Structure formats: structure tokens, C-alpha cells
Amino acid sequence: MVVDVQNDFCPGGALGVPDGDAIISRVNKTVVLFERRGLPILFTRDWHPRETKHFKEFGGAWPPHCIQGTKGARFHPDLVLPKAALILSKGMDPEQDSYSGFQAFTDHGRDLESTLRELEVDQLFICGLATDYCVRATTLDGLRRGLTIRVLRDAIRGVDLKPGDSEMAIKEMRVHGAQFSETRGLARLLPKE
Ligand code: VGL
Ligand code: ZN
């Protein structure tokens, strides 16, 4: 699962994560490993209406970002998106923040939990942005649902609104049972091609 690798979360974007684009080549390599094995690949995207309580102007924490249909909301142009990959969108509800991929839906209105059930997935490998928000929330939610979660430590980056937020999030994910790996050597953890 590739979380929110969108223009607005990359340097130069409305909510640029420091070095956010530095993960893209690792994400791409990982996506190709999964594609070659015919394993499911899911992309989430932050997909906000223009007015939402998620934005500062309406009481939230953030500058406007990832507004539906804008360039900032598009996936980063260097990101490899296989045809077979599923895209799930979140953050459409103007009344609340929704950081977790488990609050995301496919274009057919199917949520992540039922999508995973349909795919018979009980293990997720997670990479993307941002460590201290969507990656954290998705991981904790998945663990709560009994999934095995492995976070790709070198293919995530955080916002760090407060210094140390990402490190804290990593500790928290670990305490709750998440496993961590580097993208290098990941093939060893996957079924043979
Ligand atoms: C996110 C901040 C604001 C995320 C979304 O997806 O991590 N972070 N909106
Ligand atoms: Zn957002």
C-alpha cells in the first residue's frame, strides 16, 4: 500500500513533507516487486473538498492541500502506477480529518477493509507519506483489525510539525505490533516470482 504520494505532500507542494519525493524511487521498486508477483497494490490519496474542517481556514490544522481535481492532488509524476493497482480516496468528508486509509474508498465506494477482505489480504506492506499522520493512522488501524503490518522504514517521510513527531510515530507503531523493514532485500520476504 502506497500512501498519499501526491504533489502537495512533496517539496514545493502546499504541504510539502521534507524530502517527501526522496522515497519515490524506493516506492517504485517496491511496487514493481509486487506487480511481478501478481500481488495486490493499493494507492491511497488525500482527496479534499475546497471547504473542510481539516483546513486552517475552517478550524483545522492545515493549509489547503490535495483539493479534488487540482494538480496538487495528483500523484507525483514520477510515481509508477500499474494498471492493476487500486486507488482509494480519503478526506472527502468536510466535517472531519480522516488520516487513516481505513477511511478511504475506491471509486466504486468500497472501503479498504472490504477491499482487503475481497482480495484475501491479511498482511500489508506500507510506504508513503506522511509518517506521523496517514502512515501512522493506517498502520494503527490495520493492527487493530488484526492485520500483519510491515512498514518500509526507508520509504516513508514525516511532516514533523513538532520535531520528533515521526520518530514518536515509529515507536508507537512498533509498540502496537508493526514490523519494520528496509526496501532493500524486501524480495526475500515475498513469495517467489
Ligand atoms: C495527511 C496531513 C494532512 C496525510 C493528510 O495523509 O498524512 N497529513 N492531510
Ligand atoms: Zn489532508
Side-chain angles (χ1 to χ4, degrees):
M1 178 162 171
V2 179
V3 173
D4 299 1
V5 182
Q6 293 163 271
N7 289 324
D8 271 343
F9 290 128
C10 290
L15 184 40
V17 173
D19 253 2
D21 54 348
I23 66 170
I24 292 174
S25 67
R26 296 189 192 113
V27 170
N28 287 342
K29 281 181 193 148
T30 304
V31 163
V32 169
L33 284 181
F34 278 70
E35 189 182 22
R36 286 209 205 108
R37 287 163 176 78
L39 295 168
I41 304 166
L42 305 154
F43 288 81
T44 63
R45 62 180 181 185
D46 216 26
W47 196 245
H48 297 308
R50 229 161 251 289
E51 296 184 13
T52 160
K53 289 182 180 168
H54 187 58
F55 295 163
K56 261 184 203 137
E57 200 187 332
F58 308 100
W62 306 106
H65 61 276
C66 298
I67 293 171
Q68 297 163 13
T70 63
K71 181 172 176 225
R74 281 192 215 140
F75 290 114
H76 190 286
D78 296 340
L79 192 66
V80 169
L81 277 133
K83 276 215 181 62
L86 292 175
I87 295 172
L88 292 98
S89 308
K90 64 179 170 62
M92 292 83 81
D93 182 349
E95 295 300 320
Q96 58 168 352
D97 294 308
S98 28
Y99 297 116
S100 171
F102 288 89
Q103 292 167 293
F105 298 86
T106 67
D107 284 350
H108 303 291
R110 186 181 277 264
D111 67 15
L112 179 58
E113 186 160 32
S114 67
T115 302
L116 295 177
R117 201 178 309 121
E118 168 119 348
L119 293 166
E120 299 186 350
V121 165
D122 60 6
Q123 182 174 179
L124 278 181
F125 292 73
I126 298 187
C127 57
L129 309 169
T131 308
D132 37 354
Y133 290 93
C134 194
V135 170
R136 171 187 175 276
T138 305
T139 298
L140 296 178
D141 255 1
L143 292 167
R144 226 174 272 134
R145 287 166 162 79
L147 298 170
T148 299
I149 310 262
R150 193 176 284 276
V151 179
L152 304 179
R153 181 72 186 81
D154 58 339
I156 57 174
R157 286 291 185 281
V159 181
D160 286 325
L161 223 42
K162 286 203 303 294
D165 279 354
S166 294
E167 277 313 309
M168 276 230 306
I170 286 167
K171 282 193 188 128
E172 198 181 359
M173 291 187 270
R174 184 171 284 127
V175 164
H176 284 86
Q179 297 169 300
F180 287 83
S181 317
E182 304 286 315
T183 51
R184 246 184 76 184
L186 188 61
R188 276 187 277 116
L189 298 176
L190 302 175
K192 289 221 170 60
E193 269 181 57

